[in-house]
Amino acid sequence: EISYDTFRQVMACSYDDLRHSQVLPAEFEHVQRLEISLDGQQYTLTRTQEADGDEPAVWTWDGEEIEISGVEDALTALEITQFTADAAGGETEISLTAVLDLEDEPEVRITLYRADGESCRASVDGESIGSLPRSQVVDLIEAVHAIVLN
């Protein structure tokens, strides 16, 4: 049973109020590989060892062990601020495929398009889902650059 006030709050919610607002619809701990397309280049970041207790997971790129926390933080921070079904378009800022370590190794394809100087549009598995601050996308790009340009 719920109180009348709680009932009224739930009934006042729209579909978008109840939607998952994070762009990555999975826990990062389930990501085993990131295939990233950025600036015309392809990069593959691979988890080679799962987290164990206090020890973080081990990730590699180009045969070298890397620190993934910047990418993880930036990717999990991507959050839709306005949902829309309008087709995403414009210049692609970054696209990536997250391969998950779940049954049948499902993939989540995320493409982030520049809408204007302050916002980007997100497409997940080919479906436009909405807008998010461009600053969040820039943080993700910078985190990837910190790995691949060093």
Side-chain angles (χ1 to χ4, degrees), residues 5-134:
D5 288 337
T6 302
F7 172 75
R8 284 188 25 216
Q9 290 173 346
V10 170
M11 294 307 293
C13 290
S14 71
Y15 172 69
D16 288 342
D17 291 333
L18 301 173
R19 289 177 75 176
H20 183 71
S21 63
Q22 289 185 311
V23 174
L24 178 64
E27 296 295 327
F28 192 81
E29 66 190 34
H30 292 294
V31 176
Q32 69 179 357
R33 187 171 66 245
L34 289 172
E35 298 167 356
I36 301 168
S37 177
L38 176 62
D39 300 329
Q41 300 293 317
Q42 302 291 340
Y43 308 102
T44 300
L45 311 180
T46 305
R47 185 182 71 204
T48 57
Q49 183 178 335
E50 291 187 31
D52 183 24
D54 291 338
E55 293 296 316
V58 177
W59 285 77
T60 60
W61 173 70
D62 202 26
E64 299 289 324
E65 193 172 308
I66 58 170
E67 171 58 47
I68 193 81
S69 63
V71 172
E72 176 183 357
D73 292 345
L75 183 58
T76 58
L78 296 176
E79 192 165 322
I80 299 299
T81 55
Q82 181 178 356
F83 290 100
T84 180
D86 296 340
E91 180 182 343
T92 300
E93 293 272 7
I94 185 171
S95 63
L96 60 92
T97 299
V99 180
L100 307 178
D101 65 0
L102 304 172
E103 187 174 324
D104 296 328
E105 295 184 358
E107 297 181 352
V108 177
R109 293 180 324 277
I110 298 170
T111 306
L112 303 169
Y113 303 91
R114 181 186 310 198
D116 55 41
E118 295 183 13
S119 64
C120 287
R121 301 288 297 272
S123 171
V124 176
D125 292 333
E127 181 181 333
S128 180
I129 58 171
S131 299
L132 66 157
R134 185 164 182 265

